[in-house]
Amino acid sequence: MLRELTEANGTLSLSGLERATGLARSTVDRVTATLARMGYVRFDGRDVHLSPRLMELGNAYMSALRLPALLSPHADALADDLDESVSLAVADRDGIRFIHQATRRRAMSLSFRIGDLLPAERTAPGPLFATRWTAADWQRWRERRAADPRDLSFTAVPPRTYGGDAEDGEYDETFVHRTREASAHGWSLDDQLIEPGLVAISVPVRSPAPGGRIVSVASVVSHTSRHTARDLRTTLLPRLRSAVRAMERELHAAPPPEPGPPPSDLALWTGASKQQLGREFIESLARGLTVLTAFGEGRPELTLTEVSQATGLARATARRALITYEHLGLVATAGRTFTLTPRVLSLGFPPLSRTTLPEIAQPHLADLTSRIHESTSLAVLSDSGEEIQYTARVATARVMSVNITVGTRLPAYATALGRVLLADASGDALPESPRAFTSHTITDRRTLTQALTSVRAQGYALVDEELEEGLRSIAVPVRDRSGRVVAALNTAMHASRRTPKECVTDLVPELTATAARIQTDLHTAARFTHVPLT
């Protein structure tokens, strides 16, 4: 069900899930209810949406892998140096998955989503990974090519438009030839294999261990209006190779992760949920998914005993989950240990890797508005730091309400949202001569500075009729993984509805709790991806 939602870009109706999975409607209802309880999906009417918390499964794989954390700074630096998109990929059987993207902000964007699965034969990294394929790997690839000649199972790429037995056989032999060339030269090229105009060049990143197996492939991606395939070889390949050497030095010098306390009783909560929801909660499903979160940084390989201890599940229960995941390709075994595979990224990571802060916040704002019966908003500072820009909003149903639309900009110093953001901002963004919007507007810079100090200390800002007569607003901060305030959350109302004291006692706890939920989702989503603020 999670895979069907992933391939549908994160949203399907309940009836759509029933058709896509072939499951009975009662089963679909129970599975989605269980996933909603876990925070992995949410309901909007009869539609089911993937939620950012689901990314904790992909994060478990990425943190256990360690490559994104170690190599992504070098990929980002190369992208800045070349002014081209740079990606890191890993092998997933006869396909590849991206684990990092450093993209360029252009009208014509060249990037796939993190976790997207692409056929090896239509990519630049594919031939490099295929240099290590066994006879069984090649046989599996040929069987897949015969069963799916147009690549319809790879939803991240356009279907192949050509076909025919002779042409397909020639196409397959071309990939074999490209693999031989990749083995001989140590690099590989994609000359418009995915779609017309797209070109890429790739170099393998090898493990420092004896044998130097390929652990990842770094690629520079462009389009033919900027670079031809020949340009990539002659101009960009040397700089790509230099960046890869730096990546390999990073892998060689990186110390092992600091051993922290192993997790325990990760699945303890499932019993209480089963008691509360009854048959609508599938405890075995929840326990099984929790097994995947037992892995992470410093825990890339776990024995059955370690998985049992981390989750609090009986060994037999943990074993059944691991065997099931091995069958699904989500887990691999090596002797007595288990590891996550890149296929874990297929569980929602691609569509969620493109989520924005307003998208994360919107359902939480809707929930808050329904509880406090007041309009709620999210805002960020403009580039100048002098204005706020509304990025998400949920209005309440009242005859008299605050009428502000997403995209509206207001002076930061005269709003509760702005003061929360200014209180954490570096530098002095206060205007030299603040304008008075009402008789209550604070226009003295020293008094404004003192107000920002108070906001920083108390954790919220209350602005009373300073922007408009009768308008009272209160706001709290939303922080990123580093603790920096990146957005502010507020509610605003007519001054007659609540006194300033009631705003603090009644609304600050609600706002703070909602901000904490937004932060939890933001921190999960931003662990290995960039989450735009607007």
Side-chain angles (χ1 to χ4, degrees):
M1 197 170 293
L2 290 175
R3 283 177 173 168
E4 292 296 342
L5 281 165
T6 300
E7 293 188 2
N9 208 32
T11 301
L12 270 177
S13 66
L14 288 166
S15 57
L17 276 172
E18 185 182 359
R19 290 191 298 270
T21 61
L23 297 173
R25 179 55 180 268
S26 59
T27 303
V28 169
D29 290 342
R30 293 180 66 209
V31 171
T32 52
T34 302
L35 295 174
R37 180 70 169 194
M38 300 182 75
Y40 288 174
V41 303
R42 62 178 177 84
F43 294 102
D44 183 6
R46 302 187 71 79
D47 288 338
V48 182
H49 301 265
L50 295 179
S51 294
R53 186 173 176 182
L54 178 61
M55 295 178 76
E56 72 179 13
L57 302 182
N59 287 347
Y61 164 73
M62 301 274 263
S63 58
L65 186 67
R66 293 191 76 203
L67 294 179
L70 294 174
L71 305 186
S72 59
H74 299 281
D76 294 346
L78 179 63
D80 290 340
D81 180 39
L82 301 180
D83 193 27
E84 298 288 353
S85 295
V86 175
S87 64
L88 298 171
V90 294
D92 185 354
R93 296 191 180 183
D94 60 353
I96 71 161
R97 291 189 192 271
F98 294 103
I99 59 171
H100 181 72
Q101 290 275 4
T103 61
R104 301 294 88 187
R105 296 186 65 178
R106 296 196 183 100
M108 183 172 290
S109 175
L110 294 174
S111 68
F112 293 96
R113 301 171 303 181
I114 294 177
D116 271 335
L117 179 66
L118 279 65
E121 67 274 9
R122 290 178 65 181
T123 68
L128 292 165
F129 287 122
T131 61
R132 307 303 294 267
W133 283 4
T134 65
D137 294 328
W138 281 104
Q139 180 61 29
R140 182 172 58 242
W141 172 75
R142 287 190 169 90
E143 290 172 356
R144 188 262 294 167
R145 288 281 302 116
D148 184 20
R150 295 191 60 207
D151 300 331
L152 297 178
S153 60
F154 295 88
T155 56
V157 297
R160 287 211 302 139
T161 56
Y162 40 89
D165 293 341
E167 189 172 323
D168 284 344
E170 181 181 342
Y171 183 81
D172 290 353
E173 287 307 310
T174 298
F175 180 59
V176 173
H177 177 68
R178 290 176 62 219
T179 299
R180 293 195 189 106
E181 286 193 326
S183 180
H185 301 313
W187 54 268
S188 179
L189 192 69
D190 167 10
D191 189 357
Q192 307 180 76
L193 292 171
I194 291 178
E195 62 180 46
L198 189 150
V199 290
I201 192 163
S202 296
V203 171
V205 181
R206 297 184 180 274
S207 164
R213 70 180 181 89
I214 299 174
V215 295
S216 182
V217 168
S219 304
V220 176
V221 187
S222 189
H223 57 81
T224 52
S225 297
R226 292 178 58 83
H227 291 283
T228 65
R230 179 181 176 84
D231 286 341
L232 293 180
R233 293 195 303 271
T234 59
T235 306
L236 302 187
L237 178 58
R239 293 153 84 179
L240 174 58
R241 278 179 159 159
S242 177
V244 166
R245 285 193 293 271
M247 292 179 188
E248 292 176 339
R249 288 194 296 270
E250 183 76 37
L251 292 178
H252 187 272
E258 288 290 332
S264 61
D265 294 328
L266 291 173
L268 192 62
W269 62 275
T270 61
S273 294
K274 181 64 175 177
Q275 286 187 346
Q276 185 175 355
L277 298 182
R279 68 178 306 275
E280 295 304 309
F281 183 78
I282 307 175
E283 189 172 12
S284 59
L285 171 61
R287 285 177 165 181
L289 288 171
T290 302
V291 163
L292 298 178
T293 65
F295 297 84
E297 186 172 3
R299 307 187 305 279
E301 300 177 353
L302 297 177
T303 64
L304 174 58
T305 298
E306 289 170 332
V307 171
S308 175
Q309 292 172 343
T311 58
L313 299 175
R315 281 172 55 90
T317 304
R319 181 175 178 274
R320 283 196 298 271
L322 290 167
I323 290 175
T324 301
Y325 290 141
E326 184 180 10
H327 176 72
L328 294 173
L330 300 170
V331 166
T333 59
R336 296 176 57 250
T337 62
F338 299 85
T339 60
L340 299 182
T341 74
R343 192 153 297 189
V344 174
L345 296 175
S346 70
L347 304 179
F349 212 90
L352 291 172
S353 70
R354 291 289 179 86
T355 196
T356 65
L357 180 56
E359 290 170 336
I360 289 173
Q362 193 71 25
H364 296 290
L365 294 183
D367 183 57
L368 175 61
T369 295
S370 70
R371 293 199 311 272
I372 65 175
H373 307 291
E374 301 287 357
S375 299
T376 58
S377 304
L378 189 81
V380 297
L381 272 182
S382 65
D383 291 339
S384 69
E386 296 182 354
E387 294 178 309
I388 59 165
Q389 179 181 349
Y390 285 82
T391 58
R393 180 167 171 79
V394 175
T396 189
R398 285 185 182 273
V399 174
M400 183 174 64
S401 62
V402 179
N403 184 22
I404 295 174
T405 59
V406 171
T408 297
R409 294 193 175 208
L410 295 173
Y413 72 90
T415 64
L417 289 162
R419 288 187 188 170
V420 164
L421 293 162
L422 290 173
D424 190 72
S426 58
D428 187 0
L430 295 175
E432 289 297 327
S433 301
R435 170 189 167 191
F437 294 92
T438 73
S439 59
H440 303 282
T441 307
I442 299 174
T443 58
D444 178 68
R445 283 173 56 86
R446 182 176 180 181
T447 305
L448 280 171
T449 301
Q450 291 173 344
L452 296 183
T453 301
S454 297
V455 169
R456 198 158 41 241
Q458 64 195 17
Y460 67 87
L462 175 64
V463 170
D464 194 7
E465 300 188 77
E466 293 189 43
L467 183 68
E468 183 178 322
E469 297 286 354
L471 179 63
R472 184 169 289 152
S473 176
I474 191 162
V476 298
V478 175
R479 301 178 183 272
D480 65 11
R481 290 178 61 86
S482 70
R484 182 172 61 97
V485 176
V486 293
L489 166 68
N490 93 321
T491 184
M493 71 220 72
H494 189 267
S496 64
R497 289 215 285 270
R498 281 184 173 90
T499 66
K501 182 178 179 180
E502 288 172 337
C503 286
V504 174
T505 57
D506 298 347
L507 298 180
V508 167
E510 293 281 3
L511 289 166
T512 302
T514 300
R517 286 189 280 271
I518 294 172
Q519 287 174 173
T520 297
D521 283 351
L522 173 61
H523 297 175
T524 301
R527 187 166 182 187
F528 293 104
T529 66
H530 170 67
V531 177
L533 301 182
T534 59

Short mmCIF file of all heavy atoms in Angstrom, two decimals, residues 66 70 248-257:
data_model
loop_
_atom_site.label_atom_id
_atom_site.label_comp_id
_atom_site.label_asym_id
_atom_site.label_seq_id
_atom_site.Cartn_x
_atom_site.Cartn_y
_atom_site.Cartn_z
N ARG A 66 25.52 5.84 5.91
CA ARG A 66 26.51 6.88 6.24
C ARG A 66 27.00 7.65 5.01
O ARG A 66 27.57 8.74 5.15
CB ARG A 66 27.72 6.33 6.99
CG ARG A 66 27.43 5.82 8.38
CD ARG A 66 28.72 5.56 9.14
NE ARG A 66 29.34 6.78 9.60
CZ ARG A 66 30.63 6.90 9.89
NH1 ARG A 66 31.45 5.87 9.72
NH2 ARG A 66 31.13 8.04 10.33
N LEU A 70 28.59 11.63 4.72
CA LEU A 70 30.02 11.79 4.46
C LEU A 70 30.31 12.42 3.10
O LEU A 70 31.25 13.22 2.96
CB LEU A 70 30.72 10.43 4.55
CG LEU A 70 30.74 9.77 5.94
CD1 LEU A 70 31.34 8.38 5.85
CD2 LEU A 70 31.54 10.62 6.93
N GLU A 248 36.62 9.72 -1.62
CA GLU A 248 37.27 8.48 -1.19
C GLU A 248 38.22 8.74 -0.02
O GLU A 248 38.34 7.90 0.88
CB GLU A 248 37.99 7.84 -2.37
CG GLU A 248 37.01 7.33 -3.42
CD GLU A 248 37.69 6.77 -4.67
OE1 GLU A 248 38.86 7.15 -4.91
OE2 GLU A 248 37.06 6.00 -5.40
N ARG A 249 38.89 9.89 -0.04
CA ARG A 249 39.72 10.24 1.12
C ARG A 249 38.86 10.43 2.36
O ARG A 249 39.25 10.04 3.46
CB ARG A 249 40.52 11.52 0.84
CG ARG A 249 41.66 11.34 -0.16
CD ARG A 249 42.61 12.53 -0.14
NE ARG A 249 41.95 13.76 -0.56
CZ ARG A 249 41.91 14.18 -1.83
NH1 ARG A 249 42.46 13.43 -2.78
NH2 ARG A 249 41.31 15.31 -2.14
N GLU A 250 37.66 11.00 2.19
CA GLU A 250 36.73 11.19 3.31
C GLU A 250 36.32 9.82 3.88
O GLU A 250 36.29 9.64 5.10
CB GLU A 250 35.48 11.93 2.82
CG GLU A 250 34.48 12.25 3.90
CD GLU A 250 34.89 13.40 4.78
OE1 GLU A 250 35.49 14.36 4.26
OE2 GLU A 250 34.63 13.33 6.00
N LEU A 251 36.03 8.88 3.02
CA LEU A 251 35.65 7.55 3.48
C LEU A 251 36.79 6.87 4.23
O LEU A 251 36.58 6.18 5.23
CB LEU A 251 35.23 6.67 2.29
CG LEU A 251 33.93 7.05 1.57
CD1 LEU A 251 33.68 6.11 0.40
CD2 LEU A 251 32.75 7.02 2.53
N HIS A 252 38.02 7.08 3.75
CA HIS A 252 39.19 6.46 4.38
C HIS A 252 39.48 7.07 5.74
O HIS A 252 39.86 6.37 6.70
CB HIS A 252 40.41 6.60 3.47
CG HIS A 252 41.61 5.85 3.96
ND1 HIS A 252 42.54 6.39 4.84
CD2 HIS A 252 42.03 4.59 3.71
CE1 HIS A 252 43.47 5.50 5.10
NE2 HIS A 252 43.19 4.39 4.43
N ALA A 253 39.28 8.39 5.86
CA ALA A 253 39.64 9.08 7.10
C ALA A 253 38.52 9.10 8.13
O ALA A 253 38.78 9.36 9.31
CB ALA A 253 40.05 10.52 6.78
N ALA A 254 37.29 8.83 7.69
CA ALA A 254 36.15 8.96 8.62
C ALA A 254 36.25 7.94 9.74
O ALA A 254 36.36 6.73 9.49
CB ALA A 254 34.84 8.77 7.86
N PRO A 255 36.21 8.38 10.99
CA PRO A 255 36.22 7.44 12.11
C PRO A 255 34.88 6.72 12.19
O PRO A 255 33.87 7.22 11.67
CB PRO A 255 36.44 8.33 13.33
CG PRO A 255 35.86 9.65 12.93
CD PRO A 255 36.11 9.78 11.45
N PRO A 256 34.84 5.57 12.81
CA PRO A 256 33.55 4.90 12.99
C PRO A 256 32.63 5.77 13.83
O PRO A 256 33.10 6.58 14.65
CB PRO A 256 33.91 3.60 13.70
CG PRO A 256 35.25 3.86 14.32
CD PRO A 256 35.95 4.82 13.44
N PRO A 257 31.33 5.65 13.65
CA PRO A 257 30.40 6.48 14.44
C PRO A 257 30.53 6.19 15.92
O PRO A 257 30.83 5.07 16.32
CB PRO A 257 29.02 6.07 13.91
CG PRO A 257 29.22 4.72 13.30
CD PRO A 257 30.62 4.71 12.76
#
